Amino acid sequence: MATSASWEESIRRFGLTEVYTPSGHAHVDIIFVHGLNGHPHHTWTSEKSKIFWLAQLLPAKVEEEKTRILAYGYDADVASFTDGASKDKIHNHAEHLVAELSANRQRKAAQRPIILVAHSLGGLVVKRALIYSSEIRGNYTEHLRSIFVSTYGILFLGTPRKGSSIAKWGSQLEWICGAILPSRLVDTQPQLVDALKTNSETLQNIGRQFSQLAGRFHIYYFHEGKPTNLKGTLQFVVDGESAAPSIPDVERAGIQQSHSHMCKFENESSPGFDLVAEAIQRYSHEAPNLIEQRWKEETDQQLIRREAQAEELLPATIKPGENTATIPVSLNAVKPLFLVPFVRDASFIDRIDVFEEIEKRTAQQQCRISLSGIGGIGKSQIAIEFCHRFRDANHHAHVVWVHASTKQRFNQGYRDIARKLELPGWNDPKSDALRSVFEWFNEADNGRWLMVLDNADDLDTIFARPISAVAEGEYVPPLKNYLPQGSRGLLLITTRDTRVGERLTGRQASIVVNPMAYPEAQRILESQVECLDNVSIDDSKKLLDALGYIPLAITQAAAFTSENDITLQEYYEMFSTNDTDVQELLDEDHGDLRRDSESQKSVIRTWKLAFDILRKQKPRAAEMLSLMAVLDPQGIPKSLLQNDTDRPIDVTTALGALKAFSLISVENDGSLISAEDGRRYGLHRLVQLATRKWLELQGTTK
């Protein structure tokens, strides 16, 4: 067996070094990434026994799994983790790691499963590398995405997951410097430590972005079990809650060593070795089957994207196998238009069930799909993400966004499209932009397209003819008549009112966007709340229950705690005191760049729009909601909502409108239904409190 000294000579300081290769064909790659001031050999070598355990202990544990073991080295000076003098910042390290792995594996096996093991801040390099690889969609860089697709599991050894605040991040980084850097360097060059601390917000953002991907990987968090002597004080460099937080279905354990020694094992009896080796062995055994399936899915998606690209490059009339050499390029060809007024949200929480249903319906050739749900539930955010995914898969398609909350905004949206496409008369105020855009999108030669009709909430706005035109006897079509129906396009509608969505899609059932499930809502908190590491699962679940798992309400809560420097526990206590405090909390507008600038950004103001529409369209529905606002919110009998003057059709359509706007629900417990009372209804406490606030604004409360 080679000695540690001989290994040190053979390990490359920068880049990848293969330290163990199994006999025959390797099935899994294990990559070790050191942290701040680390080294691809020294970081993993016992100072006492000089055992380089990656090559001298681990291979025997994973021999049957036929794993290949590699050590990765990079410039890990303090400056390289900052935005200061060094040009190699964390993002550059991440890009280099992805590029090195991709190049190495292209020669071996690009689809081989990967297990990553990272110490300390090396874990941030690993996270950033996976974020970078996951975002790649281009034809010429597609090979770099293979690292994301192939990664099965990650072991984080003492990596700070997130601080309770930016200040906490800075403290952790300073402690890491004190534990790892030579004391003379820390004492004589404090500016390096200060530079690392000033970059703490960037490092924290990496954790927030990674939380959106974490559910894809098998993760094992390890924390140090012994404190480090930092200038005479024993201190845990990265405490257990930060290095190994309690997360459902995620493994965590302690290693009875200090921060800088938890990654060094003298022998197989060293504290933590069995835990780490067993996890690597288990992941190596499990990875091949899952990664093989993921590559099948990835290959299918790549094929779909390439076929779509090829289709867009050819005129619509070309038949398979036809000689295209003499076919001229279409005179109508224009640069693909991407007119979406929102950037992609790096912290978007994937609503897997909704996207799967959209994909299912597009596969069935549905050219109109509607998303419905109560205001603030995330319909527009889903539509924004879908636009970017659609563009990634259809590089030559047109993607446009039309606000449909009012006729004026609808008209302006079409004028913007006409201007971007330079349609005839686009700069003439008297031209019929609605007709021009409608006809252009219906023309098959103009290629594939996606149009989002956002906030199509008001039946009258979309379906009614202008009052002035009716009065003058002039025929002016309603806005619905200007929605394109070309066979090469997809119209995606977001609406609070399921009736609008179903009418616009030819009576196709709307995809209802429901409140988030607990894991999804928890990830919103993780991405937006700095102090979540100090909050128990039970406490966060209590708050999410109170907020109804509604994304806008959760975002408001996170913004309020941040701006007012309070904890989630304190917010929950305020939320649980009295209804007036809750109404004020729900009425706070903290701004959100991911929402339309003219849309309301608080729960109460968002729902007020639905209440106003109901009062205008269905006054009886507004009256029923007003009554429900002062009753017990659950088990309200239908008989209590009726009065002697109501016709059956009035009651039916009023309750139908309330259900269409997702403001009330039907309680399906058979024990609550009787022939005398009929159905019983309920509404969420937040809806009830928002209704009361709306009634106050209307001056109708007593």
Side-chain angles (χ1 to χ4, degrees):
M1 178 183 291
T3 65
S4 180
S6 63
W7 273 114
E8 181 177 4
E9 295 173 0
S10 63
I11 298 294
R12 297 172 56 193
R13 176 67 183 86
F14 303 120
L16 287 166
T17 302
E18 193 172 286
V19 300
Y20 173 74
T21 305
S23 59
H25 180 67
H27 295 169
V28 179
D29 283 345
I30 308 174
I31 297 94
F32 288 79
V33 182
H34 62 76
L36 180 68
N37 205 45
H39 185 281
H41 176 266
H42 305 330
T43 292
W44 314 104
T45 300
S46 166
E47 296 175 359
K48 183 177 180 180
S49 65
K50 304 303 179 183
I51 291 293
F52 178 46
W53 68 274
L54 275 61
Q56 296 174 277
L57 297 179
L58 184 60
K61 298 292 185 180
V62 293
E63 184 176 5
E64 291 185 9
E65 284 68 34
K66 291 190 174 296
T67 63
R68 191 171 66 120
I69 303 174
L70 303 97
Y72 179 68
Y74 59 101
D75 180 8
D77 293 341
V78 176
S80 73
F81 277 85
T82 72
D83 291 329
S86 173
K87 294 180 180 178
D88 284 327
K89 295 170 284 191
I90 284 188
H91 180 68
N92 300 103
H93 291 323
E95 288 184 336
H96 292 164
L97 173 57
V98 170
E100 288 264 5
L101 276 174
S102 178
N104 179 282
R105 288 158 52 83
Q106 288 294 327
R107 298 192 300 269
K108 305 288 184 179
Q111 297 183 10
R112 183 183 295 155
I114 292 173
I115 296 168
L116 292 155
V117 184
H119 176 240
S120 192
L121 295 188
L124 299 180
V125 175
V126 165
K127 290 179 180 181
R128 189 67 189 87
L130 290 171
I131 293 167
Y132 165 66
S133 178
S134 72
E135 294 172 345
I136 291 173
R137 290 292 193 279
N139 291 337
Y140 301 117
T141 55
E142 197 171 56
H143 60 287
L144 299 176
R145 182 173 164 81
S146 66
I147 307 307
F148 168 71
V149 179
S150 295
T151 297
Y152 175 84
I154 313 166
L155 282 69
F156 291 109
L157 280 63
T159 295
R161 183 168 175 270
K162 66 166 70 173
S164 60
S165 65
I166 296 297
K168 176 67 179 293
W169 252 109
S171 298
Q172 287 189 342
L173 296 173
E174 186 171 15
W175 295 336
I176 291 173
C177 288
I180 294 177
L181 297 178
S183 59
R184 58 180 174 77
L185 182 63
V186 176
D187 294 336
T188 60
Q189 298 191 46
Q191 70 274 13
L192 291 179
V193 179
D194 290 340
L196 186 59
K197 290 170 65 178
T198 60
N199 205 37
S200 57
E201 185 169 4
T202 299
L203 304 184
Q204 188 183 49
N205 287 337
I206 292 174
R208 289 178 176 176
Q209 294 176 21
F210 181 75
S211 68
Q212 315 308 316
L213 305 177
R216 180 184 178 90
F217 310 117
H218 286 67
I219 294 177
Y220 208 139
Y221 291 115
F222 293 91
H223 63 87
E224 62 211 62
K226 289 185 176 181
T228 298
N229 189 335
L230 298 175
K231 296 184 178 181
T233 302
L234 291 177
Q235 175 73 53
F236 285 104
V237 176
V238 183
D239 61 43
E241 276 304 308
S242 180
S246 298
I247 301 174
D249 204 30
V250 174
E251 296 178 280
R252 64 192 297 267
I255 294 177
Q256 294 304 308
Q257 290 287 4
S258 65
H259 184 78
S260 60
H261 288 85
M262 66 186 300
C263 54
K264 308 175 191 294
F265 303 118
E266 294 183 3
N267 52 55
E268 293 185 3
S269 300
S270 295
F273 176 76
D274 279 344
L275 286 173
V276 173
E278 186 278 331
I280 292 175
Q281 185 274 334
R282 174 160 44 89
Y283 287 2
S284 298
H285 179 74
E286 297 169 347
N289 288 338
L290 179 63
I291 297 304
E292 180 182 6
Q293 180 60 38
R294 284 188 180 166
W295 269 108
K296 288 179 180 177
E297 296 170 359
E298 180 73 12
T299 302
D300 289 343
Q301 290 300 315
Q302 289 174 353
L303 181 60
I304 291 172
R305 288 198 296 269
R306 288 168 181 166
E307 287 178 345
Q309 292 166 14
E311 179 184 352
E312 294 303 328
L313 290 173
L314 298 174
T317 56
I318 296 179
K319 303 297 188 297
E322 183 176 352
N323 182 4
T324 62
T326 60
I327 298 178
V329 177
S330 172
L331 295 176
N332 294 330
V334 296
K335 181 180 178 181
L337 179 62
F338 190 77
L339 193 59
V340 177
F342 307 97
V343 297
R344 195 169 195 170
D345 182 6
S347 300
F348 177 76
I349 306 298
D350 198 358
R351 310 292 289 270
I352 297 175
D353 55 337
V354 176
F355 280 97
E356 286 181 347
E357 183 61 25
I358 293 174
E359 183 177 347
K360 173 184 173 183
R361 297 193 184 193
T362 54
Q364 294 172 347
Q365 304 301 311
Q366 287 190 26
C367 58
R368 290 190 175 190
I369 299 172
S370 67
L371 305 177
S372 66
I374 196 169
I377 204 67
K379 303 180 297 295
S380 295
Q381 302 307 312
I382 293 171
I384 293 168
E385 175 64 18
F386 183 75
C387 285
H388 288 276
R389 294 186 186 185
F390 185 88
R391 179 176 63 168
D392 290 342
N394 304 275
H395 294 289
H396 299 277
H398 305 283
V399 182
V400 297
W401 189 283
V402 177
H403 295 283
S405 54
T406 66
K407 287 183 171 65
Q408 292 75 18
R409 298 203 73 189
F410 187 100
N411 287 329
Q412 186 58 52
Y414 268 49
R415 287 202 171 276
D416 290 342
I417 296 171
R419 175 174 55 82
K420 287 289 186 178
L421 292 173
E422 297 185 351
L423 299 182
W426 68 266
N427 55 353
D428 181 0
K430 296 181 180 180
S431 66
D432 190 349
L434 296 179
R435 175 62 59 184
S436 298
V437 171
F438 169 75
E439 292 178 349
W440 192 89
F441 277 99
N442 279 339
E443 180 58 55
D445 285 349
N446 289 323
R448 299 188 67 185
W449 52 267
L450 164 67
M451 176 183 287
V452 172
L453 192 67
D454 190 35
N455 287 328
D457 305 321
D458 191 344
L459 280 166
D460 292 342
T461 297
I462 305 299
F463 294 94
R465 293 173 54 201
I467 295 175
S468 59
V470 174
E472 296 174 6
E474 177 187 3
Y475 179 73
V476 177
L479 294 183
K480 73 175 183 67
N481 286 23
Y482 293 106
L483 296 175
Q485 303 186 60
S487 60
R488 306 196 68 195
L490 172 63
L491 179 66
L492 182 64
I493 302 146
T494 74
T495 179
R496 291 175 171 87
D497 188 345
T498 57
R499 299 170 303 172
V500 173
E502 292 178 2
R503 290 189 191 184
L504 288 177
T505 58
R507 310 313 304 174
Q508 295 291 332
S510 186
I511 300 175
V512 178
V513 181
N514 293 308
M516 287 181 156
Y518 169 72
E520 298 169 335
Q522 179 72 4
R523 286 200 291 274
I524 289 187
L525 284 180
E526 289 177 358
S527 67
Q528 299 188 19
V529 177
E530 296 176 352
C531 56
L532 197 60
D533 287 345
N534 301 324
V535 180
S536 70
I537 293 176
D538 286 342
D539 285 344
S540 66
K541 193 173 187 306
K542 287 179 183 177
L543 178 61
L544 294 173
D545 284 340
L547 296 173
Y549 296 88
I550 296 170
L552 180 57
I554 300 170
T555 299
Q556 269 188 263
F560 188 90
T561 60
S562 176
E563 291 186 7
N564 294 280
D565 195 24
I566 65 171
T567 65
L568 280 183
Q569 293 96 322
E570 291 172 318
Y571 184 90
Y572 178 71
E573 289 171 4
M574 296 171 61
F575 206 85
S576 304
T577 52
N578 61 72
D579 291 349
T580 301
D581 284 350
V582 175
Q583 288 174 333
E584 291 186 11
L585 289 172
L586 294 177
D587 202 26
E588 288 277 336
D589 185 347
H590 298 279
D592 189 342
L593 295 177
R594 298 166 301 173
R595 291 178 65 83
D596 176 27
S597 59
E598 296 188 28
S599 293
Q600 300 297 336
K601 299 176 180 64
S602 77
V603 170
I604 283 186
R605 298 179 197 184
T606 295
W607 291 349
K608 177 183 177 296
L609 297 176
F611 302 155
D612 289 341
I613 291 173
L614 278 173
R615 185 180 60 176
K616 179 185 68 171
Q617 292 181 356
K618 286 287 180 184
R620 188 69 187 93
E623 291 174 4
M624 288 182 177
L625 186 64
S626 301
L627 176 59
M628 298 174 83
V630 297
L631 300 174
D632 186 305
Q634 304 303 320
I636 302 173
K638 180 179 179 180
S639 59
L640 192 60
L641 301 174
Q642 296 173 275
N643 59 44
D644 294 338
T645 61
D646 279 333
R647 297 179 303 164
I649 191 172
D650 295 331
V651 176
T652 299
T653 56
L655 290 171
L658 292 173
K659 288 184 288 183
F661 276 91
S662 301
L663 296 173
I664 67 171
S665 58
V666 180
E667 296 185 346
N668 293 318
D669 186 347
S671 63
L672 295 177
I673 299 177
S674 68
E676 180 180 352
D677 289 341
R679 291 182 175 179
R680 293 178 181 249
Y681 298 89
L683 71 167
H684 193 275
R685 178 184 178 230
L686 299 191
V687 175
Q688 188 177 56
L689 294 178
T691 305
R692 292 179 189 172
K693 184 69 175 179
W694 176 67
L695 292 173
E696 287 180 17
L697 295 174
Q698 304 302 314
T700 56
T701 55
K702 296 181 181 181

